[in-house]
Amino acid sequence: MMSLMGEHPQNVDCGVSAIYNTKPAPLNEPLLPFEHQVGGHSALSHAAGRVWKPMIKKEVTFYQRIWAEESSPECLWIRDWTPRYYGLFEREELAEDRVTPQTSSGPLGGRVTEKPGQREGSRGSEVQKKSSPWGKKLSEIRKRQKPMRLYVCLEDLTAKFYRPCILDVKLGVRTYDDDASPEKKLRHQEKVRNTTSGKYGVRLSGMQVYMRREGDYLFRDKYHGRTLKREGLVTSFRDFFDNGDGLRRDVVSRCKSKLECLKSYVDAQRLFYFYSSSLLIVYEGDEEVTKPSVDVRMIDFAHTQPSFDRSDPGCSLGVSTLVKILDEILEEG
């Protein structure tokens, strides 16, 4: 496994030959749209119980370093806070690589099975999501996304949930890496300056919440997130933890504890700048499920680069803001 330390990020070879010392495994599974995607730039796919993401060289470099058998002890903490990485896969026939449209019914596209005796009333959520600006954008991305040969295979963080409530939050005050063009840097700097990212290091990228009474999902996208000030951000987070019957204080408390733990690692680490990474919070929306789970993970590492023994203050600020907001929500009741 290559080491990223000691080299300027623009000089690091992120090509497949540098990050993968064996031939990528063949990808033979038919790909379906990942219906629980609430944010991001590229369309994710789902197959064999896992998530498939078009390969981005720097992101593969990051995952390979973290999940390598000989990974340094300083990297091991990150494994607990990222999706499990299953490797790089190659599609032999590009003509067959287009994602197959999801046609079965069910919540947001149909992977979740209804409980016996329950009426399936979730098609409205599919329409609601498709008619939102983000839903339309995602549909456009899928249509124009070119057939890909290489995919990263990752753990499906929603798989263990019956009614997954998902919050995608952009972390940090910088959303581009050193390789970005001057035009892209200016564009991203303006976006950060005009949103909650600039002052608070956090921005809503998307969310879905299962509303128990309606048997449906409430959905908000990244375009909504860009319009928010801090007060609106707090309101959106409060809505995320409310299934229509009241605030899920147990979930908020568990998320806050996990974020405090993550903050201790992010503050102490001196390996990476997590530029444009996101935090994914997932909890079980069905209160009837025994021992409902809560999960907090970092995702999206396409712009992560080595920090050369420096901390990442932007990422730390974002996690700190989230802890403070959850504190406020708990105090309000």
Side-chain angles (χ1 to χ4, degrees):
M1 173 56 77
M2 63 175 289
S3 172
L4 298 184
M5 304 305 291
E7 292 187 69
H8 189 280
Q10 295 191 62
N11 296 328
V12 173
D13 178 8
C14 292
V16 174
S17 62
I19 58 177
Y20 211 89
N21 56 13
T22 58
K23 183 180 179 181
L27 170 56
N28 299 316
E29 295 285 342
L31 298 178
L32 298 173
F34 182 58
E35 68 272 17
H36 290 302
Q37 182 176 354
V38 299
H41 297 286
S42 61
L44 303 179
S45 300
H46 186 266
R50 295 172 182 173
V51 171
W52 302 79
K53 183 176 183 179
M55 188 274 291
I56 300 174
K57 294 175 181 179
K58 284 188 177 180
E59 188 164 41
V60 178
T61 302
F62 173 82
Y63 276 120
Q64 287 283 14
R65 182 178 182 189
I66 298 307
W67 289 96
E69 291 184 7
E70 64 273 21
S71 182
S72 64
E74 293 85 358
C75 289
L76 296 182
W77 70 270
I78 304 179
R79 293 184 181 183
D80 293 330
W81 298 99
T82 59
R84 182 170 182 81
Y85 171 70
Y86 294 106
L88 189 64
F89 286 74
E90 182 175 19
R91 170 80 61 181
E92 295 293 340
E93 297 293 335
L94 288 182
E96 299 176 3
D97 196 32
R98 295 191 182 277
V99 176
T100 303
Q102 178 66 276
T103 57
S104 59
S105 61
L108 298 181
R111 185 159 47 86
V112 181
T113 304
E114 292 290 331
K115 288 183 178 179
Q118 280 190 322
R119 178 178 177 272
E120 187 170 270
S122 56
R123 294 300 292 181
S125 63
E126 184 180 10
V127 173
Q128 178 187 15
K129 186 172 184 179
K130 284 184 176 179
S131 62
S132 72
W134 166 243
K136 293 177 181 178
K137 180 71 172 179
L138 187 59
S139 178
E140 292 172 3
I141 291 172
R142 287 194 175 114
K143 288 178 181 178
R144 70 169 184 260
Q145 190 162 286
K146 295 180 180 179
M148 304 297 295
R149 182 176 294 279
L150 294 170
Y151 285 84
V152 172
C153 182
L154 300 170
E155 174 187 5
D156 177 2
L157 299 177
T158 71
K160 62 183 177 182
F161 297 93
Y162 181 70
R163 299 290 191 190
C165 298
I166 306 167
L167 177 67
D168 186 331
V169 178
K170 182 75 69 178
L171 292 175
V173 297
R174 175 173 162 174
T175 57
Y176 59 88
D177 56 31
D178 289 350
D179 294 339
S181 66
E183 295 77 15
K184 184 174 182 179
K185 289 179 181 180
L186 288 174
R187 189 168 65 251
H188 280 254
Q189 288 167 354
E190 182 179 7
K191 188 182 298 182
V192 165
R193 191 165 50 247
N194 294 330
T195 63
T196 51
S197 292
K199 188 174 182 179
Y200 304 106
V202 64
R203 183 171 78 237
L204 177 67
S205 293
M207 74 180 206
Q208 67 177 44
V209 188
Y210 182 68
M211 309 302 288
R212 190 185 66 81
R213 294 185 183 182
E214 292 82 0
D216 204 347
Y217 282 90
L218 168 69
F219 182 79
R220 289 179 181 157
D221 58 31
K222 63 182 181 181
Y223 303 105
H224 171 76
R226 292 174 187 174
T227 69
L228 300 176
K229 303 301 182 184
R230 191 182 190 281
E231 183 179 354
L233 194 64
V234 174
T235 299
S236 292
F237 286 0
R238 188 186 300 112
D239 290 343
F240 174 68
F241 293 108
D242 190 332
N243 64 359
D245 289 335
L247 182 68
R248 296 285 301 275
R249 294 183 62 87
D250 59 323
V251 177
V252 178
S253 181
R254 290 171 67 184
C255 282
K256 178 175 172 285
S257 295
K258 287 178 179 287
L259 287 170
E260 288 173 333
C261 182
L262 174 60
K263 183 179 182 302
S264 68
Y265 283 110
V266 170
D267 289 348
Q269 73 91 24
R270 297 292 186 275
L271 293 175
F272 299 107
Y273 290 129
F274 295 104
Y275 296 146
S276 201
S277 290
S278 293
L279 194 74
L280 203 71
I281 298 176
V282 191
Y283 74 87
E284 179 55 64
D286 190 337
E287 295 184 81
E288 297 180 9
V289 172
T290 306
K291 296 181 180 180
S293 299
V294 177
D295 206 350
V296 176
R297 308 283 188 100
M298 292 181 68
I299 59 171
D300 298 336
F301 304 102
H303 302 288
T304 294
Q305 61 186 47
S307 63
F308 305 104
D309 201 33
R310 296 184 180 90
S311 62
D312 185 345
C315 186
S316 294
L317 173 62
V319 179
S320 295
T321 296
L322 290 173
V323 172
K324 291 177 182 177
I325 288 177
L326 296 194
D327 251 337
E328 293 174 21
I329 292 174
L330 287 172
E331 288 175 4
E332 293 172 1

